Amino acid sequence: MPPADATTDKPAVKSGLAAFEEFHALPISEKIALLSRGRELYHCLFAEQFDRPLLDRLGRLCDHLRVLTKTKEGDDFVATVLSHRRAMLYFSQPSTRTFLSFQNACHILGMKTCEIRDPRTSSEMKGESFEDSIRTFASYTDIIIIRHFENNFAEHAARVLHGTPRVVPIVNAGAGTFQHPTQALLDVYTMNRCLEGGIEGTTLMLVGDLKRGRTVRSLALMMRHYRDVRILLVSPPEFRMRPDILDALRAAGVFYEETSDFAGALSEADTVYMTRVQDEHDAAGESRAVNVAGFVLRPEHLRRIKPKAIILHPLPRRGEIDPAVDLDPRAAYWRQERNGLWTRAALIAMIFGAEKALLARIT
Ligand code: NCD
């Protein structure tokens, strides 16, 4: 039995692990409906929450924000829009870009931020329960942005809050080996900006540890909203994309091909998306046995890549792209990184219903 309508905010279901497992087993579409609180975007937990109209709207808001904030007047205005809101950044896994871009995105919108980056400094260490910790974060802030090693931590946090009188939006800023939807949003935005004619009709090459890379999993799902996209999944056999994503692509009619021939696939790609080995998820150092030497982008490969292609990487890189490639005009990963700022600001603005007020302000 699915839990009762969560839009009422009534403690309709028992909280705790049993209740979460029941909830977690629901299809994502049902979970999204239960967690939406009557708004199109409230929690941001899964790539599946974004359809094409929403992606297009986010893109427009990003464009608008980057122009608005170019002048002092515009930037000052943007900083008034959510100056009555507070954000909590709960990052229990290492992060540079996602943390800084979320924090600065909040500041661009005038929000105050607080953070826990090391759970050893919080009362979790005194044995406080998961539920009490999440409720406490919600007591002091209006949105909780979470990065966690566990796949379901953010989803669980959202579920817990729906059994309490105070519900605040939860944003997944990287969930284990599961998903990283906001990275996929900034990747989509970057591809749309940098590819002549946008994403439709292009070939996306995803390279590296596709098995555990949460960015490529979320990005592949987003590609279902763009016509005639081909995906080349390029990895060593040990790091192949997991079947859940392949099934979703097949069901949506997205053409994909799996290969280990990195150099061969390069000439077909419009977007070359490189990733690192996610060895923090190794059980016993098993990544060391995988030969990834053939999945490195070096200057000698550049002549194989289409003249108008783009090269992306969610970063941090650890040797998958030779720094000499940075000089090539097709290297777009530093622009991609900066786009994280606008995308996350646009997302938060949308969650708080500030889209209209921002768009109404002419530059
Ligand atoms: C990615 C992540 O954390 O999944 N980094 C990021 O958010 N920019 C990719 C990675 O760490 O490999």
Side-chain angles (χ1 to χ4, degrees):
M1 267 288 286
D5 183 6
T7 58
T8 60
D9 290 348
K10 296 261 164 54
V13 286
K14 59 183 185 304
S15 53
L17 197 60
F20 175 66
E21 278 166 2
E22 196 178 293
F23 172 78
H24 181 61
L26 296 172
I28 282 187
S29 56
E30 268 181 58
K31 289 195 257 197
I32 292 168
L34 285 165
L35 296 179
S36 72
R37 305 188 81 220
R39 309 249 286 268
E40 54 195 346
L41 193 60
Y42 188 73
H43 303 293
C44 170
L45 301 172
F46 317 110
E48 289 89 334
Q49 286 174 263
F50 295 87
D51 58 13
R52 183 61 188 275
L54 194 51
L55 289 170
D56 288 350
R57 267 173 55 198
L58 264 170
R60 268 194 300 278
L61 192 54
C62 283
D63 286 343
H64 193 67
L65 277 170
R66 39 182 337 139
V67 177
L68 265 187
T69 52
K70 277 195 200 314
T71 64
K72 176 166 169 44
E73 294 71 26
D75 195 64
D76 286 347
F77 165 74
V78 174
T80 63
V81 170
L82 292 176
S83 55
H84 57 310
R85 300 292 191 186
R86 291 179 168 72
M88 155 116 200
L89 294 120
Y90 180 83
F91 275 55
S92 68
Q93 254 191 319
S95 173
T96 304
R97 272 150 284 270
T98 307
F99 180 83
L100 289 176
S101 60
F102 262 118
Q103 189 183 42
N104 283 289
C106 289
H107 294 167
I108 285 173
L109 297 165
M111 298 170 72
K112 290 108 189 156
T113 55
C114 59
E115 70 203 50
I116 289 181
R117 299 202 65 173
D118 180 356
R120 282 173 308 182
T121 63
S122 85
S123 282
E124 290 163 90
M125 279 314 279
K126 298 189 209 162
E128 184 169 53
S129 72
F130 170 79
E131 299 181 15
D132 289 1
S133 295
I134 298 297
R135 286 192 73 163
T136 302
F137 303 158
S139 289
Y140 300 132
T141 62
D142 304 298
I143 184 169
I144 308 172
I145 300 161
I146 297 179
R147 164 167 292 199
H148 203 274
F149 195 78
E150 281 173 27
N151 287 357
N152 305 325
F153 190 94
E155 180 187 334
H156 195 171
R159 185 70 200 100
V160 160
L161 290 182
H162 278 269
T164 75
R166 184 166 162 82
V167 187
V168 304
I170 304 283
V171 176
N172 170 5
T177 60
F178 170 54
Q179 279 210 23
H180 195 348
T182 67
Q183 176 72 41
L185 292 176
L186 75 93
D187 295 341
V188 162
Y189 178 70
T190 304
M191 288 166 72
N192 266 326
R193 265 185 84 81
C194 298
L195 289 169
E196 237 178 51
I199 293 175
E200 289 191 345
T202 63
T203 297
L204 166 63
M205 175 174 168
L206 299 173
V207 187
D209 186 348
L210 308 183
K211 183 177 171 193
R212 301 173 297 182
R214 54 197 176 192
T215 70
V216 284
R217 289 171 51 79
S218 291
L219 183 57
L221 291 176
M222 297 268 188
M223 289 301 107
R224 296 176 299 170
H225 305 303
Y226 297 88
R227 261 185 295 133
D228 302 327
V229 169
R230 279 175 73 220
I231 304 184
L232 303 178
L233 301 164
V234 184
S235 71
E238 297 87 340
F239 289 156
R240 284 174 60 187
M241 185 65 91
R242 282 178 272 158
D244 60 333
I245 301 295
L246 300 181
D247 290 347
L249 293 178
R250 252 196 318 276
V254 177
F255 176 87
Y256 68 83
E257 201 177 314
E258 295 184 274
T259 175
S260 294
D261 180 9
F262 173 68
L266 275 174
S267 58
E268 292 182 44
D270 298 290
T271 303
V272 178
Y273 192 105
M274 304 295 296
T275 67
R276 72 175 172 91
V277 175
Q278 308 285 308
D279 49 6
E280 65 269 42
H281 297 288
D282 280 0
E286 58 273 20
S287 292
R288 283 198 296 272
V290 181
N291 186 358
V292 289
F295 302 86
V296 173
L297 189 64
R298 303 182 203 285
E300 59 266 31
H301 290 124
L302 290 171
R303 63 185 164 74
R304 288 176 179 265
I305 303 179
K306 292 183 188 175
K308 294 201 167 157
I310 56 169
I311 302 163
L312 300 182
H313 192 309
L315 302 174
R317 66 175 150 185
R318 252 182 4 194
E320 309 77 40
I321 302 182
D322 186 320
V325 172
D326 295 9
L327 300 172
D328 191 282
R330 291 166 293 185
Y333 27 93
W334 299 109
R335 280 174 273 161
Q336 175 190 11
E337 171 178 271
R338 183 153 170 82
N339 285 339
L341 192 60
W342 311 119
T343 313
R344 289 173 170 132
L347 176 77
I348 295 167
M350 223 177 234
I351 287 174
F352 283 114
E355 180 189 14
K356 257 202 188 138
L358 286 166
L359 290 176
R361 171 82 180 206
I362 310 297
T363 50

